[in-house]
Amino acid sequence: MKNLITALIALFALTIFAPCAFAARGDIQLDHSEEGIYVIKVNTKKAGTKIKPYVSDKLITSSEVFKNNKNYALVTNGGFFDILTGAAVSYVIIDGKTVETPFSNMGLIQNAAKCNRLEGILNRAEFRILESDRGALSFDIDYHFAPTEEGKSIKHSLQGGPMLLPYMNLEKESFVIKEGNKVKFQAADVLKRRERTVLALKDNMLYIIIFTNQNRVTIDEARDFCKKLGADKAMALDGGASTSLNYKDIEIFSSFTSQRRVKSFLVIER
């Protein structure tokens, strides 16, 4: 009896002092053990068919998408967009069809071409859900112009950037322009500490990582966090004020008292 009581006390202590990690269901786990950082771990073997991009006809918040679509278990912000016009800055493919492209934003295209930044912007990193000839799904992060493996095609993709792992090249993706060793230009505040939305892949797991205004990070720090997770590949999505997530009763926003309206999202269906 004494041993049983001791075991129960020990179990209670573990429950109280363990990191705040719980599973809403078998394929999604949330870890909020570190203040200002939310790590959602998704089993792609179980939830693979339920993970996909979503694009709105108009700018809208993650919360609105979440509340208006009862079939969505999780919604987070997606790729870059023009906050003034709502036009896309990133590619999005859904069910094999390109639904968003930077070429809908001709102001961006023309300015980028003048500054010799166009190829870098168009070829930024993207999260890919691939489908084999036999219908099997796999997940990858690669540059937009990178070819797929033989026998596989892109079913869904959501572009953002920059790529964090297995390597990072901010100049290649035109997030940074240097003259010599001096930074002349930076996009998306990549060298500053900001809120971040990050995707990482390890084995059969997709990690959705949210750094809030309570724990802002630079892109280098976001990459190092993914390394500690043991991720094989990782990339950033739009961040800063766009960083947002809805899951169960959790609503995350960044610098303001409400979520920013954005154009694209990554969703997980129930």
Side-chain angles (χ1 to χ4, degrees):
M1 183 66 178
K2 184 178 179 180
N3 290 337
L4 177 59
I5 292 173
T6 302
L8 289 173
I9 292 172
L11 178 60
F12 178 74
L14 286 173
T15 303
I16 294 296
F17 296 108
C20 178
F22 62 88
R25 61 189 198 189
D27 52 4
I28 302 177
Q29 292 181 323
L30 168 66
D31 183 353
H32 183 39
S33 56
E34 190 170 348
E35 185 177 8
I37 302 176
Y38 293 78
V39 180
I40 296 92
K41 186 177 179 181
V42 186
N43 187 323
T44 60
K45 287 294 185 182
K46 295 181 179 179
T49 59
K50 299 175 183 178
I51 305 169
K52 60 188 65 177
Y54 172 85
V55 173
S56 174
D57 293 334
K58 61 180 181 180
L59 298 186
I60 190 172
T61 65
S62 293
S63 180
E64 289 173 300
V65 174
F66 183 73
K67 293 174 181 178
N68 293 336
N69 294 272
K70 300 300 182 183
N71 193 40
Y72 291 165
L74 181 147
V75 178
T76 191
N77 68 286
F80 295 101
F81 67 101
D82 189 319
I83 60 173
L84 297 178
T85 66
V89 180
S90 301
Y91 285 98
V92 181
I93 294 175
I94 300 176
D95 290 324
K97 297 181 180 179
T98 300
V99 297
E100 288 291 336
T101 166
F103 285 96
S104 65
N105 190 338
M106 289 310 299
L108 165 76
I109 296 298
Q110 293 168 357
N111 289 334
K114 290 178 183 178
C115 301
N116 198 30
R117 296 181 59 220
L118 183 57
E119 182 178 357
I121 291 173
L122 297 179
N123 196 32
R124 284 174 173 170
E126 63 186 15
F127 171 64
R128 293 175 168 181
I129 301 177
L130 305 169
E131 187 173 34
S132 72
D133 294 341
R134 296 184 177 184
L137 297 182
S138 58
F139 295 76
D140 197 12
I141 291 172
D142 211 334
Y143 293 116
H144 178 72
F145 293 143
T148 62
E149 294 180 28
E150 186 175 353
K152 293 184 178 180
S153 60
I154 297 176
K155 182 176 179 65
H156 307 300
S157 72
L158 179 61
Q159 189 185 41
M163 183 181 291
L164 307 181
L165 295 175
Y167 45 81
M168 184 168 69
N169 189 331
L170 298 178
E171 292 180 79
K172 177 178 179 177
E173 294 188 69
S174 195
F175 282 102
V176 167
I177 296 176
K178 290 183 178 180
E179 287 186 352
N181 293 324
K182 186 176 180 180
V183 175
K184 179 182 177 182
F185 168 85
Q186 67 170 299
D189 286 341
V190 290
L191 304 180
K192 299 179 181 179
R193 281 193 168 87
R194 290 301 310 269
E195 303 82 2
R196 304 284 176 191
T197 303
V198 173
L199 302 179
L201 294 171
K202 178 184 178 182
D203 300 326
N204 296 320
M205 295 296 171
L206 165 66
Y207 292 84
I208 302 171
I209 308 162
I210 304 292
F211 298 92
T212 73
N213 54 10
Q214 294 178 303
N215 203 328
R216 296 183 175 99
V217 293
T218 65
I219 282 296
D220 284 344
E221 291 167 336
R223 175 201 58 198
D224 292 344
F225 186 90
C226 294
K227 282 184 178 180
K228 288 181 180 179
L229 287 177
D232 299 312
K233 295 191 174 184
M235 63 172 284
L237 292 173
D238 191 4
S242 297
T243 298
S244 54
L245 179 135
N246 285 81
Y247 174 60
K248 297 191 72 178
D249 59 349
I250 297 170
E251 180 178 18
I252 296 174
F253 49 87
S254 40
S255 302
F256 305 104
T257 56
S258 61
Q259 294 176 341
R260 171 187 272 179
R261 289 180 170 85
V262 300
K263 183 67 173 175
S264 61
F265 306 84
L266 184 68
V267 305
I268 301 177
E269 296 175 339
R270 295 187 187 280

